[in-house]
């Protein structure tokens, strides 16, 4: 092919690529601007339905963090100018940070407006060469540091009456599935995870903990790996597959913030302590990999090995807030590819996601039946 034709083809491809990118950005902007409005409309719609059916509405995540957290019975305190959530153990009072990706999910229009204003300010400041910016050493980088306070046990009991009182009688909401599998945890006197345990009753050569990922359950392991383990492996190792907090047949407390600490505490209370697991191997998938690494950090002398399948890893540029950066990597609010569009819907739009779950999750038995019917139970 002549060089002239190759050059023309190269320019054509470059123009088509640029045009496709501009069109994709334009379509994405229109679609997600519409979803911003739809989510706001659904917010008021769900509040109205909640009030009619349940005689109250609970603040959603698009409300202020203070309103949403205090309405669930939790206590907010101020430490170093920042609000934190009071969490309790038997003798300690801990302060947890408020998730900045849970309560600060701005709409696409307001985000673009804010970034435009910031860019104009930056250009204006760059034009003033005499301007000098001084930063004091008082500012400290936001981290995951937590404060722990030891308090009198009587005070803890008093606070538990306020904070933990709502856990005594968990009630499913009208939009939740009411099948036996989804509500079995409400009839249990113990707030522990569902655990599928196989292997010798007494301690064998070792223990293996299996942790599933997002939108999954212990069935991810028990219906795939467990049936294919040899008799020798099953008679030698104790195998534990759990349903994480909020998944499968485990508790789904409406007032839980599902923090990393809550997940770890539940794993310890449900597996490590009752089964007297002193040293163990961990096999984890996706979201479970984060919990597996956290367990390894918390119990460095107990974890023998880590097997991580599809661990979520995102490189964060220096000087950028990690949580917000990862949020935009996972859910960049783009219509293509479809998996990105789905992730963006789930991460940015609470009420649209609730509407989808109302159709799919509440009626999961129907969808499971139709799927088995179409796939001939494969």
């Amino acid at each position: 092919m002549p060089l002239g034709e190759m050059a023309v083809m190269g320019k054509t491809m470059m123009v088509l690529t640029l045009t496709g990118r501009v069109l994709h950005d334009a379509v994405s902007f229109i679609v997600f601007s519409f979803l911003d409005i739809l989510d706001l409309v659904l917010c008021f719609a769900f509040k109205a339905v909640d009030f009619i059916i349940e005689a109250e509405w609970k603040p959603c995540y698009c409300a202020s963090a203070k309103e949403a957290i205090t309405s669930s019975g939790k206590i907010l305190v101020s430490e170093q100018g920042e609000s934190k959530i009071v969490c309790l153990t038997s003798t300690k009072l801990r302060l947890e940070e408020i998730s900045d990706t849970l309560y600060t999910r701005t709409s696409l229009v307001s985000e673009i407006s804010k970034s435009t204003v910031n860019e104009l300010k930056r250009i204006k400041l760059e034009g003033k060469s005499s301007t000098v910016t001084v930063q004091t050493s008082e500012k400290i980088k936001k981290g995951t540091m937590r404060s722990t306070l030891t308090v009198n046990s009587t005070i803890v009991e008093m606070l538990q009456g306020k904070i933990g009182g709502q856990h005594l009688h968990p009630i499913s909401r009208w939009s939740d599935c009411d099948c036996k599998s989804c509500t079995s945890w409400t009839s249990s006197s113990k707030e522990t995870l569902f655990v599928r345990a196989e292997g010798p009753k007494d301690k064998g050569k070792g223990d293996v903990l299996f942790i599933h990922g997002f939108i999954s359950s212990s069935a991810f392991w028990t219906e795939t790996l467990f049936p294919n383990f040899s008799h020798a492996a099953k008679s030698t190792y104790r195998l534990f597959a759990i349903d994480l907090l909020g998944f499968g047949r485990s508790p789904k407390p409406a007032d839980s913030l599902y923090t990393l600490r809550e997940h770890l505490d539940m794993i310890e209370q449900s597996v490590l302590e009752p089964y007297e697991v002193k040293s163990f191997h961990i096999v984890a998938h996706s979201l479970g990999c984060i919990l597996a690494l956290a367990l390894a950090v918390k119990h460095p002398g107990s974890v023998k090995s880590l097997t991580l399948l599809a661990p979520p890893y995102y490189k964060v540029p220096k000087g950028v807030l990690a949580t917000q950066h990862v949020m935009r990597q996972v859910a960049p609010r783009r219509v293509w590819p479809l998996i990105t569009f789905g992730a963006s819907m789930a991460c940015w739009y609470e009420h649209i996601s609730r509407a989808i779950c109302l159709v799919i999750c509440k009626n999961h038995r129907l969808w499971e039946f139709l799927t088995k019917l179409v796939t001939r139970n494969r």
Side-chain angles (χ1 to χ4, degrees), residues 203 207 238 240 271-273 275-280 302:
K203 294 181 181 179
D207 298 323
R238 290 196 300 177
F240 302 99
V271 182
L272 304 189
E273 294 171 6
Y275 290 95
E276 298 181 355
V277 177
K278 302 302 180 184
S279 61
F280 54 100
S302 300

Side-chain angles (χ1 to χ4, degrees), residues 7 24 33 67 76 93-94 188 306 332 336 338 351 362 374:
H24 182 233
S33 295
E67 181 186 359
L76 279 178
L93 182 149
R94 297 186 298 212
S188 175
L306 285 172
W336 190 262
L338 289 178
H351 307 290
K362 185 176 175 64
V374 172

Side-chain angles (χ1 to χ4, degrees), residues 74-93:
K74 291 182 171 63
I75 297 175
L76 279 178
V77 296
S78 180
E79 185 195 44
Q80 296 180 352
E82 293 182 2
S83 295
K84 295 191 177 182
I85 307 168
V86 176
C87 297
L88 296 172
T89 61
S90 57
T91 57
K92 290 184 179 179
L93 182 149

Side-chain angles (χ1 to χ4, degrees), residues 96-263:
E96 289 277 5
E97 292 182 352
I98 299 173
S99 169
D100 62 318
T101 54
L102 193 58
Y103 296 99
T104 55
R105 294 175 290 178
T106 55
S107 67
L108 186 61
V109 177
S110 63
E111 194 173 71
I112 291 175
S113 302
K114 186 178 179 181
S115 62
T116 303
V117 171
N118 290 338
E119 184 66 18
L120 290 173
K121 285 181 179 179
R122 186 185 66 80
I123 294 171
K124 186 177 180 181
L125 288 172
E126 284 180 353
K128 297 179 181 180
S129 56
S130 59
T131 303
V132 179
T133 304
V134 179
Q135 290 185 339
T136 64
S137 59
E138 292 177 1
K139 275 193 172 183
I140 59 173
K141 188 177 180 182
K142 262 192 172 183
T144 55
M145 185 170 57
R146 301 180 180 86
S147 301
T148 302
L149 308 172
T150 303
V151 295
N152 185 280
S153 59
T154 305
I155 298 175
V156 171
E157 289 175 7
M158 291 170 64
L159 288 173
Q160 281 175 335
K162 176 175 178 57
I163 300 175
Q166 297 186 3
H167 291 280
L168 297 178
H169 302 286
I171 301 173
S172 297
R173 305 195 67 182
W174 68 268
S175 54
D176 294 338
C177 176
D178 58 355
C179 74
K180 185 178 179 181
S181 176
C182 293
T183 59
S184 59
W185 66 277
T186 60
S187 59
S188 175
S189 59
K190 295 182 179 179
E191 287 193 2
T192 55
L193 303 178
F194 171 79
V195 182
R196 170 78 177 272
E198 290 191 12
K201 292 183 179 180
D202 54 340
K203 294 181 181 179
K205 284 188 177 180
D207 298 323
V208 186
L209 175 63
F210 293 85
I211 309 176
H212 65 80
F214 190 58
I215 315 181
S216 188
S217 69
S218 57
F220 183 80
W221 309 107
T222 58
E223 294 184 9
T224 55
L225 290 183
F226 280 34
N228 293 295
F229 283 133
S230 65
H231 177 72
K234 288 183 178 181
S235 59
T236 305
Y237 294 93
R238 290 196 300 177
L239 311 175
F240 302 99
I242 60 173
D243 286 347
L244 291 173
L245 185 67
F247 294 86
R249 283 171 278 184
S250 286
K252 304 168 185 67
D255 58 348
S256 172
L257 293 175
Y258 296 92
T259 61
L260 182 65
R261 187 190 293 275
E262 284 180 290
H263 280 295

